[in-house]
Every structure is written in C-alpha cells, then in structure tokens.
Amino acid sequence: MRNARMATLVIVATGLALLGLAEVRAAQGEKNQKSTVELVWDKEFPEGITDVAFDKEREGLFCPSVIVTGNCENAKAILYLDSSGKVIKETKLKEWTQVRISQNGQYIGIMHPEKYDGEFHHGPVDVMNMSGKVVKTIGGVYGSWWWVSPSGNEIIGKDVWADDDVYYFRGTPGKTEANLTKREGDISMLAGIPTIKWTETQSNYLQIGNKTVDLPCRKHGHLIAVSPDGKYVAIPEAIPEGKSYIYHLLLYTKEGTFLEKFDLEKEGSVLSSFSPDGKFLTVAVRNLVFLIDVGKKKILWKYESDDPYQLLNLGTTLDFPSEAPFFVAGVFWHYEKLGSKDASERIMIFSEDGSVILDFAIGKGLNRGGRRVFKVNSKGNMLCYVTGNEIRVFQLRRTQ
C-alpha cells in the first residue's frame, strides 16, 4: 500500500495542472456554477481486488467497508475497513477459497474448498453477515458461477456438468433447479425471455436468459437493469439494419408488460442503471447518455459528448446519490482516436437537467483488468472508484 497522504499530493497536483484547479463550468446554461474535486484517499492492493461492499450511509471516508483481495477463484483475504479507511480486521483465507458478496452488500459467502482439480471448486459455503457472524452454512456448491442471496438464505449456482443452461438452488426448501434452455423449474417468462425468479432478492430476478453477464469472474457488461424495488426491467434490443444495428431500450414491468421503447440512436455496449427510488433510468451507449423518467415513459434529456470515441467505462455503471447536490455520475473512457491505445479515464457528473457539472481527468491509461466499481455516497459529496488493484476516493465540492 502507498502512503495515502503522499499519493493525494502527487495525484491531486497532477489533476490541478491538467485541469486548471479542476474547476469545470457547467454546460448548457449554468455558466455561474462550478465544482471542484480532489483525491483524498488512495490505496493499492497488490494481490488484486475481487469484490467490495459499500455502506452509502456510513459517515466518514466513503470507501468500501469490506474488501476481498485475490481473484474470483482464489481469494486471499477479507479486509474490514473503518470510516477512516483503516483495516480493523483481516480474515486470511486458505488457498483456492472463493468469496462472494451479495448484491446488496449485506452478506458474504465463503466456499471452503474440499476439492480443486483445475476444473472446478467444490465445498460448503459459510454465509456471514457484515459483522463476521456465520448465519448459515450451505453445502453442495460447485464451480465458480454462484451467488449469495441478498437475504443470506440461499445460494444459486450454474450446473458445471449440464450441457443446458441449468441453475440449481441451495439453502431454501422446495427449490431444486431451473433450466433456462427448456424453460423448466423455478423460472418465469419476461417478454419471451426465460427468467430465473429468485423471490427473496430485492429485484426478484437474478438472471434473464443469457443476456445478463453477471458472473463472479466477469462483473461487467451488464445488459439488463432491474429497478431496486423490482417493479421494472430494462432490456436492450439490437435490430439488424444492413451491416449495422439499431439499438433500442425496452422498458417492462416485472410481470412482462411492455411499457415503452426508446431509440438509443447508436450501436454499442448499452449500460443502464435505475435511481435508488426507481423513478429514473439512465442509459449510456458510446458517447451518449440518456435520462428517462420511468413513470412518464419519456426521455428527459440526452447528453452527447463532443468526443465521438468517448464511452462509459464498461466495468461500471452510472450511479446516483440519495440526496441531490447532483443527479448522476460515471467514469468514462476517452480515446484520442478510434482504435487508439492512448486513452484516459474521466469522471463526469450531470445535474438533473443534463448539465455537465464536472468533467475531471483521473489520469492517462486504463486499468482494464480485474474488478471495477464506481459509487457515490448518499450525500453526493464523495466518490469512490475501485479498479483491479486500487481504490481512490474523491471529495466533491460544488460552489456558485
């Protein structure tokens, strides 16, 4: 780990030189509004970061409360951090131990390997709460594709031997498996797409067909978004037109009732996120960002970067604060030209009306490997960016 204070001075000084005190006047009419951002905490984890958990309501430094080091098939340790970013507890793990954190960050699953032969893991999973207490032990877990329920009661895993797309359930009586290929088992249909319905999750849906790439080893490329209250699902659609495609975003209720189709204008990876209250949906495709009012089923604004090669970092999604000093933020990649290896990462923050409050260069070069997470605290004054082996926390100040 690097000294946090020295890293702050070096990187903030670089940012100030690049951006002229890092003050960026807002676009689209808010000429008197400007924001500043500075790096206040930075740590490296040489063994890699495979998963993290956040508490958005925690006072103090907005960094992960739990960090899993290593990789998805061979976790090294679980680190618990206090509100100042100090490691207050460390649980070292045996070789080939796997660790998964539930989607809501409330439970940790630890597979204790009874067998590893280079093809798959096998062992029971201890499910712990965030205080480290084991609340349930679930056996019969195989492979690397498994998840922990947000309730901590259940684990779902992909069958490593089945030719079909079969998922099995462990920990809840009465559930066995779901075959997405044959549409059998504990599944439902959403717009004709086989859907595993996991009733104890916050969103009610774990995976929709093969369209969601939400595997522990590849936590990026999410193509389907579900609102936190489970009421709405957003699915991208690509329609062939000549040698290219026309992209739309389809909005459904969780029962599969079609609500609206939105034209995304360009082709490319489509990443979308719902606001915490489920009232808004933000979508990014290449250098476009849309904000959709879910209830009114309409696009409120569209932002188009002057840089045609800019795109949302494929390892993260756009995030919202619970309160409203700004509305939505994300990390974007900027390329000098198409196909260029020269690129930089930029934090962009938008107001509710689509004005750019901040466009801040983090630095040159892209950290393409490992885990990437971007989160905003509930007050909207701190940002945290997690890459494959580094965590950076930024303080945001908005002035007139």
Side-chain angles (χ1 to χ4, degrees), residues 328-392:
V328 63
V331 175
F332 290 77
W333 287 356
H334 169 83
Y335 292 87
E336 298 299 328
K337 59 182 179 179
L338 187 62
S340 171
K341 294 183 179 180
D342 295 327
S344 60
E345 291 182 311
R346 311 183 70 87
I347 293 176
M348 294 191 68
I349 298 176
F350 302 89
S351 67
E352 187 172 358
D353 66 359
S355 301
V356 177
I357 295 173
L358 187 78
D359 185 348
F360 177 70
I362 300 175
K364 290 287 186 181
L366 304 179
N367 190 330
R368 299 177 182 274
R371 189 82 158 96
R372 290 192 300 275
V373 181
F374 180 73
K375 291 290 185 182
V376 179
N377 69 339
S378 60
K379 293 182 179 180
N381 63 352
M382 298 193 84
L383 319 170
C384 184
Y385 184 41
V386 181
T387 57
N389 57 8
E390 185 178 12
I391 298 176
R392 284 168 282 183

Short mmCIF file of all heavy atoms in Angstrom, two decimals, residues 328-392:
data_model
loop_
_atom_site.label_atom_id
_atom_site.label_comp_id
_atom_site.label_asym_id
_atom_site.label_seq_id
_atom_site.Cartn_x
_atom_site.Cartn_y
_atom_site.Cartn_z
N VAL A 328 -26.44 12.44 -11.37
CA VAL A 328 -25.90 11.16 -11.80
C VAL A 328 -24.43 11.33 -12.17
O VAL A 328 -24.02 12.40 -12.61
CB VAL A 328 -26.72 10.60 -13.00
CG1 VAL A 328 -26.62 11.52 -14.18
CG2 VAL A 328 -26.28 9.19 -13.38
N ALA A 329 -23.64 10.28 -11.96
CA ALA A 329 -22.20 10.36 -12.24
C ALA A 329 -21.69 9.04 -12.78
O ALA A 329 -22.30 7.99 -12.56
CB ALA A 329 -21.44 10.74 -10.96
N GLY A 330 -20.58 9.07 -13.49
CA GLY A 330 -19.99 7.85 -14.02
C GLY A 330 -18.54 8.07 -14.42
O GLY A 330 -18.07 9.21 -14.49
N VAL A 331 -17.83 6.98 -14.66
CA VAL A 331 -16.46 7.05 -15.16
C VAL A 331 -16.49 6.71 -16.65
O VAL A 331 -17.04 5.69 -17.05
CB VAL A 331 -15.54 6.07 -14.41
CG1 VAL A 331 -14.15 6.06 -15.03
CG2 VAL A 331 -15.45 6.45 -12.93
N PHE A 332 -15.89 7.57 -17.45
CA PHE A 332 -15.90 7.39 -18.90
C PHE A 332 -14.47 7.22 -19.41
O PHE A 332 -13.53 7.78 -18.85
CB PHE A 332 -16.54 8.61 -19.58
CG PHE A 332 -18.02 8.71 -19.36
CD1 PHE A 332 -18.52 9.17 -18.15
CD2 PHE A 332 -18.91 8.32 -20.34
CE1 PHE A 332 -19.88 9.26 -17.93
CE2 PHE A 332 -20.27 8.40 -20.13
CZ PHE A 332 -20.77 8.87 -18.93
N TRP A 333 -14.35 6.45 -20.47
CA TRP A 333 -13.07 6.30 -21.16
C TRP A 333 -13.04 7.27 -22.34
O TRP A 333 -14.01 7.41 -23.07
CB TRP A 333 -12.91 4.88 -21.67
CG TRP A 333 -12.63 3.88 -20.58
CD1 TRP A 333 -12.46 4.14 -19.26
CD2 TRP A 333 -12.53 2.47 -20.74
NE1 TRP A 333 -12.25 2.97 -18.57
CE2 TRP A 333 -12.28 1.94 -19.45
CE3 TRP A 333 -12.60 1.61 -21.82
CZ2 TRP A 333 -12.11 0.58 -19.23
CZ3 TRP A 333 -12.43 0.25 -21.60
CH2 TRP A 333 -12.19 -0.26 -20.32
N HIS A 334 -11.89 7.89 -22.52
CA HIS A 334 -11.72 8.83 -23.62
C HIS A 334 -10.54 8.37 -24.47
O HIS A 334 -9.43 8.16 -23.96
CB HIS A 334 -11.45 10.24 -23.08
CG HIS A 334 -11.00 11.21 -24.14
ND1 HIS A 334 -11.89 11.87 -24.96
CD2 HIS A 334 -9.77 11.62 -24.51
CE1 HIS A 334 -11.20 12.65 -25.79
NE2 HIS A 334 -9.92 12.51 -25.54
N TYR A 335 -10.79 8.16 -25.77
CA TYR A 335 -9.75 7.75 -26.70
C TYR A 335 -9.40 8.92 -27.62
O TYR A 335 -10.28 9.67 -28.05
CB TYR A 335 -10.22 6.57 -27.55
CG TYR A 335 -10.42 5.30 -26.78
CD1 TYR A 335 -11.62 5.04 -26.14
CD2 TYR A 335 -9.42 4.35 -26.67
CE1 TYR A 335 -11.81 3.86 -25.41
CE2 TYR A 335 -9.59 3.18 -25.95
CZ TYR A 335 -10.80 2.93 -25.33
OH TYR A 335 -10.97 1.78 -24.62
N GLU A 336 -8.12 9.04 -27.94
CA GLU A 336 -7.70 10.10 -28.86
C GLU A 336 -8.27 9.87 -30.26
O GLU A 336 -8.63 10.80 -30.96
CB GLU A 336 -6.18 10.17 -28.92
CG GLU A 336 -5.52 10.51 -27.59
CD GLU A 336 -5.95 11.86 -27.06
OE1 GLU A 336 -6.21 12.75 -27.89
OE2 GLU A 336 -6.03 12.02 -25.82
N LYS A 337 -8.36 8.62 -30.66
CA LYS A 337 -8.95 8.27 -31.94
C LYS A 337 -9.41 6.81 -31.88
O LYS A 337 -8.98 6.05 -31.01
CB LYS A 337 -7.96 8.47 -33.08
CG LYS A 337 -6.68 7.65 -32.95
CD LYS A 337 -5.73 7.94 -34.11
CE LYS A 337 -4.44 7.13 -33.97
NZ LYS A 337 -3.52 7.38 -35.10
N LEU A 338 -10.27 6.42 -32.78
CA LEU A 338 -10.83 5.07 -32.76
C LEU A 338 -9.71 4.05 -32.95
O LEU A 338 -8.90 4.16 -33.85
CB LEU A 338 -11.86 4.92 -33.89
CG LEU A 338 -12.65 3.60 -33.89
CD1 LEU A 338 -13.46 3.47 -32.61
CD2 LEU A 338 -13.57 3.54 -35.10
N GLY A 339 -9.68 3.09 -32.05
CA GLY A 339 -8.66 2.05 -32.11
C GLY A 339 -7.36 2.43 -31.45
O GLY A 339 -6.42 1.64 -31.41
N SER A 340 -7.29 3.66 -30.95
CA SER A 340 -6.06 4.13 -30.33
C SER A 340 -5.84 3.46 -28.98
O SER A 340 -6.79 3.17 -28.25
CB SER A 340 -6.12 5.65 -30.14
OG SER A 340 -5.03 6.09 -29.36
N LYS A 341 -4.58 3.21 -28.65
CA LYS A 341 -4.24 2.67 -27.34
C LYS A 341 -4.08 3.79 -26.30
O LYS A 341 -4.06 3.52 -25.11
CB LYS A 341 -2.95 1.86 -27.42
CG LYS A 341 -3.08 0.59 -28.27
CD LYS A 341 -1.79 -0.22 -28.26
CE LYS A 341 -1.94 -1.48 -29.08
NZ LYS A 341 -0.69 -2.29 -29.10
N ASP A 342 -3.97 5.01 -26.78
CA ASP A 342 -3.85 6.15 -25.87
C ASP A 342 -5.24 6.54 -25.38
O ASP A 342 -6.11 6.89 -26.16
CB ASP A 342 -3.21 7.34 -26.58
CG ASP A 342 -1.78 7.05 -26.99
OD1 ASP A 342 -1.10 6.30 -26.26
OD2 ASP A 342 -1.35 7.56 -28.05
N ALA A 343 -5.44 6.47 -24.09
CA ALA A 343 -6.75 6.75 -23.54
C ALA A 343 -6.61 7.29 -22.13
O ALA A 343 -5.56 7.15 -21.48
CB ALA A 343 -7.62 5.50 -23.54
N SER A 344 -7.66 7.94 -21.65
CA SER A 344 -7.69 8.45 -20.28
C SER A 344 -9.04 8.14 -19.68
O SER A 344 -10.01 7.85 -20.39
CB SER A 344 -7.44 9.96 -20.26
OG SER A 344 -8.44 10.62 -21.02
N GLU A 345 -9.10 8.19 -18.35
CA GLU A 345 -10.35 7.98 -17.64
C GLU A 345 -10.82 9.32 -17.08
O GLU A 345 -10.02 10.09 -16.55
CB GLU A 345 -10.17 6.97 -16.51
CG GLU A 345 -9.93 5.56 -17.01
CD GLU A 345 -9.80 4.57 -15.87
OE1 GLU A 345 -9.02 4.84 -14.93
OE2 GLU A 345 -10.46 3.53 -15.92
N ARG A 346 -12.13 9.58 -17.19
CA ARG A 346 -12.68 10.84 -16.75
C ARG A 346 -13.93 10.60 -15.91
O ARG A 346 -14.77 9.78 -16.27
CB ARG A 346 -13.05 11.72 -17.95
CG ARG A 346 -11.96 11.87 -19.00
CD ARG A 346 -12.37 12.82 -20.10
NE ARG A 346 -12.43 14.20 -19.63
CZ ARG A 346 -11.38 15.01 -19.63
NH1 ARG A 346 -10.20 14.59 -20.06
NH2 ARG A 346 -11.47 16.24 -19.18
N ILE A 347 -14.04 11.31 -14.79
CA ILE A 347 -15.28 11.32 -14.02
C ILE A 347 -16.16 12.41 -14.58
O ILE A 347 -15.74 13.57 -14.70
CB ILE A 347 -15.01 11.58 -12.53
CG1 ILE A 347 -14.23 10.41 -11.90
CG2 ILE A 347 -16.33 11.77 -11.77
CD1 ILE A 347 -13.85 10.64 -10.45
N MET A 348 -17.40 12.07 -14.92
CA MET A 348 -18.36 13.06 -15.40
C MET A 348 -19.57 13.05 -14.48
O MET A 348 -20.07 11.99 -14.09
CB MET A 348 -18.78 12.76 -16.83
CG MET A 348 -17.66 12.90 -17.84
SD MET A 348 -18.25 12.88 -19.55
CE MET A 348 -19.16 14.42 -19.61
N ILE A 349 -20.03 14.25 -14.12
CA ILE A 349 -21.17 14.41 -13.23
C ILE A 349 -22.20 15.31 -13.90
O ILE A 349 -21.86 16.36 -14.45
CB ILE A 349 -20.73 15.01 -11.88
CG1 ILE A 349 -19.74 14.07 -11.19
CG2 ILE A 349 -21.93 15.26 -10.98
CD1 ILE A 349 -19.17 14.62 -9.91
N PHE A 350 -23.45 14.88 -13.85
CA PHE A 350 -24.55 15.59 -14.51
C PHE A 350 -25.56 16.06 -13.47
O PHE A 350 -25.83 15.38 -12.49
CB PHE A 350 -25.27 14.68 -15.51
CG PHE A 350 -24.38 14.11 -16.57
CD1 PHE A 350 -23.72 12.91 -16.38
CD2 PHE A 350 -24.21 14.77 -17.78
CE1 PHE A 350 -22.90 12.38 -17.36
CE2 PHE A 350 -23.39 14.26 -18.77
CZ PHE A 350 -22.73 13.06 -18.56
N SER A 351 -26.16 17.23 -13.74
CA SER A 351 -27.26 17.71 -12.91
C SER A 351 -28.57 17.08 -13.40
O SER A 351 -28.60 16.35 -14.38
CB SER A 351 -27.35 19.24 -12.98
OG SER A 351 -27.74 19.63 -14.30
N GLU A 352 -29.65 17.40 -12.72
CA GLU A 352 -30.94 16.80 -13.06
C GLU A 352 -31.41 17.19 -14.45
O GLU A 352 -32.13 16.45 -15.10
CB GLU A 352 -31.99 17.22 -12.02
CG GLU A 352 -33.33 16.52 -12.18
CD GLU A 352 -34.27 16.81 -11.04
OE1 GLU A 352 -33.88 17.53 -10.10
OE2 GLU A 352 -35.41 16.32 -11.07
N ASP A 353 -30.98 18.37 -14.93
CA ASP A 353 -31.42 18.81 -16.26
C ASP A 353 -30.43 18.44 -17.36
O ASP A 353 -30.57 18.87 -18.49
CB ASP A 353 -31.70 20.31 -16.28
CG ASP A 353 -30.44 21.15 -16.05
OD1 ASP A 353 -29.35 20.55 -15.86
OD2 ASP A 353 -30.54 22.38 -16.05
N GLY A 354 -29.39 17.66 -17.02
CA GLY A 354 -28.44 17.21 -18.03
C GLY A 354 -27.22 18.08 -18.17
O GLY A 354 -26.37 17.82 -19.03
N SER A 355 -27.11 19.14 -17.37
CA SER A 355 -25.90 19.98 -17.43
C SER A 355 -24.71 19.21 -16.89
O SER A 355 -24.83 18.43 -15.95
CB SER A 355 -26.10 21.25 -16.59
OG SER A 355 -27.19 22.00 -17.05
N VAL A 356 -23.55 19.44 -17.48
CA VAL A 356 -22.33 18.80 -17.00
C VAL A 356 -21.76 19.64 -15.86
O VAL A 356 -21.29 20.76 -16.08
CB VAL A 356 -21.29 18.66 -18.13
CG1 VAL A 356 -20.00 18.05 -17.59
CG2 VAL A 356 -21.84 17.80 -19.25
N ILE A 357 -21.82 19.12 -14.67
CA ILE A 357 -21.30 19.82 -13.50
C ILE A 357 -19.79 19.68 -13.41
O ILE A 357 -19.09 20.59 -13.01
CB ILE A 357 -21.97 19.28 -12.22
CG1 ILE A 357 -23.46 19.60 -12.25
CG2 ILE A 357 -21.32 19.84 -10.97
CD1 ILE A 357 -24.22 18.96 -11.11
N LEU A 358 -19.29 18.50 -13.80
CA LEU A 358 -17.86 18.25 -13.68
C LEU A 358 -17.42 17.28 -14.76
O LEU A 358 -18.11 16.31 -15.06
CB LEU A 358 -17.53 17.67 -12.30
CG LEU A 358 -16.04 17.52 -11.99
CD1 LEU A 358 -15.43 18.87 -11.61
CD2 LEU A 358 -15.82 16.52 -10.88
N ASP A 359 -16.26 17.56 -15.35
CA ASP A 359 -15.61 16.65 -16.29
C ASP A 359 -14.14 16.63 -15.90
O ASP A 359 -13.38 17.54 -16.22
CB ASP A 359 -15.80 17.15 -17.73
CG ASP A 359 -15.24 16.18 -18.76
OD1 ASP A 359 -14.52 15.26 -18.37
OD2 ASP A 359 -15.52 16.37 -19.96
N PHE A 360 -13.74 15.60 -15.16
CA PHE A 360 -12.45 15.59 -14.49
C PHE A 360 -11.61 14.40 -14.94
O PHE A 360 -12.05 13.25 -14.87
CB PHE A 360 -12.67 15.52 -12.98
CG PHE A 360 -11.40 15.42 -12.17
CD1 PHE A 360 -10.53 16.49 -12.08
CD2 PHE A 360 -11.08 14.26 -11.50
CE1 PHE A 360 -9.37 16.42 -11.33
CE2 PHE A 360 -9.92 14.17 -10.75
CZ PHE A 360 -9.06 15.25 -10.66
N ALA A 361 -10.39 14.68 -15.44
CA ALA A 361 -9.49 13.62 -15.88
C ALA A 361 -8.82 12.98 -14.69
O ALA A 361 -8.12 13.65 -13.92
CB ALA A 361 -8.45 14.19 -16.82
N ILE A 362 -9.04 11.66 -14.50
CA ILE A 362 -8.38 10.93 -13.42
C ILE A 362 -6.92 10.73 -13.77
O ILE A 362 -6.03 10.84 -12.92
CB ILE A 362 -9.06 9.57 -13.18
CG1 ILE A 362 -10.52 9.77 -12.80
CG2 ILE A 362 -8.33 8.78 -12.10
CD1 ILE A 362 -11.29 8.48 -12.68
N GLY A 363 -6.64 10.40 -15.02
CA GLY A 363 -5.27 10.20 -15.44
C GLY A 363 -5.20 9.44 -16.75
O GLY A 363 -6.20 8.94 -17.26
N LYS A 364 -4.02 9.38 -17.31
CA LYS A 364 -3.79 8.67 -18.56
C LYS A 364 -3.71 7.16 -18.30
O LYS A 364 -3.29 6.72 -17.24
CB LYS A 364 -2.50 9.13 -19.21
CG LYS A 364 -2.55 10.55 -19.76
CD LYS A 364 -3.39 10.61 -21.03
CE LYS A 364 -3.34 11.99 -21.66
NZ LYS A 364 -4.17 12.05 -22.89
N GLY A 365 -4.09 6.40 -19.31
CA GLY A 365 -4.01 4.95 -19.20
C GLY A 365 -5.24 4.37 -18.57
O GLY A 365 -5.91 5.00 -17.74
N LEU A 366 -5.59 3.15 -18.96
CA LEU A 366 -6.78 2.47 -18.47
C LEU A 366 -6.39 1.23 -17.69
O LEU A 366 -5.56 0.45 -18.14
CB LEU A 366 -7.70 2.07 -19.62
CG LEU A 366 -8.15 3.20 -20.56
CD1 LEU A 366 -9.04 2.63 -21.65
CD2 LEU A 366 -8.87 4.29 -19.80
N ASN A 367 -7.00 1.05 -16.55
CA ASN A 367 -6.82 -0.19 -15.79
C ASN A 367 -7.90 -1.15 -16.24
O ASN A 367 -9.02 -1.12 -15.78
CB ASN A 367 -6.92 0.09 -14.29
CG ASN A 367 -6.52 -1.10 -13.45
OD1 ASN A 367 -6.68 -2.26 -13.86
ND2 ASN A 367 -5.99 -0.84 -12.27
N ARG A 368 -7.56 -2.00 -17.21
CA ARG A 368 -8.57 -2.84 -17.84
C ARG A 368 -8.84 -4.13 -17.08
O ARG A 368 -9.87 -4.76 -17.27
CB ARG A 368 -8.13 -3.20 -19.26
CG ARG A 368 -7.96 -2.00 -20.18
CD ARG A 368 -7.44 -2.41 -21.54
NE ARG A 368 -7.24 -1.27 -22.41
CZ ARG A 368 -8.19 -0.73 -23.17
NH1 ARG A 368 -9.40 -1.24 -23.15
NH2 ARG A 368 -7.92 0.30 -23.95
N GLY A 369 -7.92 -4.56 -16.25
CA GLY A 369 -8.07 -5.86 -15.61
C GLY A 369 -8.79 -5.79 -14.28
O GLY A 369 -8.82 -4.76 -13.61
N GLY A 370 -9.38 -6.92 -13.88
CA GLY A 370 -9.95 -7.05 -12.55
C GLY A 370 -11.25 -6.29 -12.36
O GLY A 370 -11.92 -5.86 -13.28
N ARG A 371 -11.57 -6.11 -11.11
CA ARG A 371 -12.84 -5.52 -10.68
C ARG A 371 -12.83 -4.01 -10.89
O ARG A 371 -11.83 -3.34 -10.60
CB ARG A 371 -13.01 -5.83 -9.18
CG ARG A 371 -14.37 -5.46 -8.61
CD ARG A 371 -15.36 -6.56 -8.92
NE ARG A 371 -16.49 -6.51 -7.99
CZ ARG A 371 -17.64 -5.90 -8.25
NH1 ARG A 371 -17.79 -5.27 -9.40
NH2 ARG A 371 -18.61 -5.92 -7.39
N ARG A 372 -13.94 -3.45 -11.37
CA ARG A 372 -14.09 -2.00 -11.48
C ARG A 372 -15.46 -1.61 -10.96
O ARG A 372 -16.48 -2.12 -11.42
CB ARG A 372 -13.92 -1.53 -12.93
CG ARG A 372 -12.50 -1.64 -13.45
CD ARG A 372 -12.35 -0.90 -14.76
NE ARG A 372 -13.22 -1.43 -15.80
CZ ARG A 372 -12.93 -2.46 -16.58
NH1 ARG A 372 -11.78 -3.09 -16.42
NH2 ARG A 372 -13.75 -2.88 -17.51
N VAL A 373 -15.48 -0.72 -10.00
CA VAL A 373 -16.73 -0.28 -9.37
C VAL A 373 -16.66 1.23 -9.19
O VAL A 373 -15.62 1.76 -8.80
CB VAL A 373 -16.93 -0.94 -7.99
CG1 VAL A 373 -18.24 -0.48 -7.36
CG2 VAL A 373 -16.92 -2.46 -8.10
N PHE A 374 -17.78 1.91 -9.46
CA PHE A 374 -17.86 3.35 -9.21
C PHE A 374 -19.10 3.61 -8.37
O PHE A 374 -20.21 3.22 -8.74
CB PHE A 374 -17.94 4.12 -10.52
CG PHE A 374 -18.03 5.61 -10.33
CD1 PHE A 374 -16.93 6.34 -9.92
CD2 PHE A 374 -19.23 6.28 -10.55
CE1 PHE A 374 -17.00 7.70 -9.74
CE2 PHE A 374 -19.30 7.65 -10.37
CZ PHE A 374 -18.19 8.37 -9.97
N LYS A 375 -18.92 4.25 -7.21
CA LYS A 375 -20.03 4.50 -6.30
C LYS A 375 -20.00 5.94 -5.80
O LYS A 375 -18.94 6.56 -5.68
CB LYS A 375 -19.97 3.56 -5.09
CG LYS A 375 -20.24 2.09 -5.42
CD LYS A 375 -21.70 1.85 -5.78
CE LYS A 375 -21.99 0.38 -5.99
NZ LYS A 375 -23.40 0.16 -6.40
N VAL A 376 -21.20 6.43 -5.48
CA VAL A 376 -21.38 7.76 -4.92
C VAL A 376 -22.03 7.61 -3.55
O VAL A 376 -22.92 6.78 -3.39
CB VAL A 376 -22.29 8.61 -5.82
CG1 VAL A 376 -22.49 10.00 -5.24
CG2 VAL A 376 -21.73 8.69 -7.23
N ASN A 377 -21.59 8.38 -2.55
CA ASN A 377 -22.23 8.27 -1.25
C ASN A 377 -23.60 8.92 -1.27
O ASN A 377 -23.99 9.59 -2.23
CB ASN A 377 -21.34 8.86 -0.15
CG ASN A 377 -21.21 10.38 -0.25
OD1 ASN A 377 -21.45 10.97 -1.31
ND2 ASN A 377 -20.82 11.01 0.84
N SER A 378 -24.38 8.72 -0.20
CA SER A 378 -25.77 9.17 -0.20
C SER A 378 -25.88 10.69 -0.29
O SER A 378 -26.82 11.22 -0.89
CB SER A 378 -26.48 8.66 1.06
OG SER A 378 -25.84 9.15 2.23
N LYS A 379 -24.92 11.42 0.28
CA LYS A 379 -24.98 12.88 0.25
C LYS A 379 -24.49 13.45 -1.07
O LYS A 379 -24.69 14.64 -1.35
CB LYS A 379 -24.15 13.45 1.40
CG LYS A 379 -24.74 13.14 2.78
CD LYS A 379 -23.91 13.79 3.88
CE LYS A 379 -24.50 13.51 5.24
NZ LYS A 379 -23.71 14.12 6.32
N GLY A 380 -23.79 12.64 -1.86
CA GLY A 380 -23.32 13.10 -3.15
C GLY A 380 -22.09 13.97 -3.10
O GLY A 380 -21.80 14.68 -4.07
N ASN A 381 -21.35 13.95 -2.00
CA ASN A 381 -20.15 14.78 -1.91
C ASN A 381 -18.86 13.97 -1.91
O ASN A 381 -17.78 14.54 -1.80
CB ASN A 381 -20.20 15.68 -0.67
CG ASN A 381 -20.23 14.88 0.62
OD1 ASN A 381 -20.35 13.65 0.61
ND2 ASN A 381 -20.15 15.57 1.74
N MET A 382 -18.97 12.63 -2.03
CA MET A 382 -17.79 11.80 -2.12
C MET A 382 -18.01 10.72 -3.17
O MET A 382 -19.12 10.17 -3.30
CB MET A 382 -17.45 11.16 -0.77
CG MET A 382 -17.12 12.16 0.33
SD MET A 382 -16.36 11.40 1.79
CE MET A 382 -14.65 11.34 1.25
N LEU A 383 -16.95 10.41 -3.92
CA LEU A 383 -16.99 9.42 -4.99
C LEU A 383 -15.90 8.40 -4.73
O LEU A 383 -14.82 8.74 -4.25
CB LEU A 383 -16.75 10.09 -6.34
CG LEU A 383 -17.40 11.46 -6.60
CD1 LEU A 383 -16.84 12.06 -7.88
CD2 LEU A 383 -18.90 11.31 -6.70
N CYS A 384 -16.18 7.14 -5.07
CA CYS A 384 -15.18 6.10 -4.89
C CYS A 384 -15.07 5.29 -6.18
O CYS A 384 -16.08 4.84 -6.73
CB CYS A 384 -15.55 5.17 -3.73
SG CYS A 384 -14.29 3.92 -3.39
N TYR A 385 -13.83 5.12 -6.63
CA TYR A 385 -13.58 4.37 -7.86
C TYR A 385 -12.63 3.22 -7.53
O TYR A 385 -11.50 3.43 -7.09
CB TYR A 385 -12.97 5.29 -8.92
CG TYR A 385 -12.75 4.64 -10.26
CD1 TYR A 385 -13.71 3.78 -10.81
CD2 TYR A 385 -11.61 4.90 -11.01
CE1 TYR A 385 -13.52 3.19 -12.05
CE2 TYR A 385 -11.41 4.31 -12.26
CZ TYR A 385 -12.37 3.46 -12.76
OH TYR A 385 -12.18 2.87 -13.99
N VAL A 386 -13.11 2.00 -7.76
CA VAL A 386 -12.35 0.78 -7.49
C VAL A 386 -11.94 0.16 -8.81
O VAL A 386 -12.78 -0.08 -9.68
CB VAL A 386 -13.19 -0.24 -6.68
CG1 VAL A 386 -12.38 -1.49 -6.39
CG2 VAL A 386 -13.72 0.39 -5.40
N THR A 387 -10.63 -0.10 -8.97
CA THR A 387 -10.16 -0.82 -10.15
C THR A 387 -9.55 -2.14 -9.70
O THR A 387 -9.73 -2.56 -8.56
CB THR A 387 -9.13 0.03 -10.92
OG1 THR A 387 -8.05 0.37 -10.06
CG2 THR A 387 -9.78 1.30 -11.46
N GLY A 388 -8.82 -2.80 -10.58
CA GLY A 388 -8.35 -4.15 -10.29
C GLY A 388 -7.46 -4.29 -9.09
O GLY A 388 -7.44 -5.33 -8.44
N ASN A 389 -6.73 -3.22 -8.74
CA ASN A 389 -5.85 -3.31 -7.57
C ASN A 389 -5.72 -1.98 -6.83
O ASN A 389 -4.78 -1.79 -6.05
CB ASN A 389 -4.46 -3.80 -7.97
CG ASN A 389 -3.82 -2.92 -9.04
OD1 ASN A 389 -4.34 -1.86 -9.37
ND2 ASN A 389 -2.70 -3.37 -9.58
N GLU A 390 -6.64 -1.05 -7.06
CA GLU A 390 -6.53 0.27 -6.45
C GLU A 390 -7.90 0.82 -6.10
O GLU A 390 -8.88 0.58 -6.80
CB GLU A 390 -5.82 1.23 -7.42
CG GLU A 390 -5.53 2.60 -6.84
CD GLU A 390 -4.79 3.49 -7.82
OE1 GLU A 390 -4.70 3.12 -9.02
OE2 GLU A 390 -4.29 4.54 -7.40
N ILE A 391 -7.95 1.58 -5.01
CA ILE A 391 -9.17 2.27 -4.60
C ILE A 391 -8.85 3.75 -4.43
O ILE A 391 -7.89 4.11 -3.75
CB ILE A 391 -9.73 1.71 -3.28
CG1 ILE A 391 -10.11 0.23 -3.46
CG2 ILE A 391 -10.95 2.51 -2.83
CD1 ILE A 391 -10.58 -0.44 -2.19
N ARG A 392 -9.65 4.60 -5.08
CA ARG A 392 -9.47 6.04 -4.97
C ARG A 392 -10.76 6.70 -4.50
O ARG A 392 -11.84 6.37 -5.00
CB ARG A 392 -9.06 6.62 -6.33
CG ARG A 392 -7.60 6.37 -6.69
CD ARG A 392 -7.31 6.69 -8.14
NE ARG A 392 -7.77 5.62 -9.03
CZ ARG A 392 -7.57 5.62 -10.34
NH1 ARG A 392 -6.95 6.64 -10.91
NH2 ARG A 392 -8.00 4.62 -11.08
#
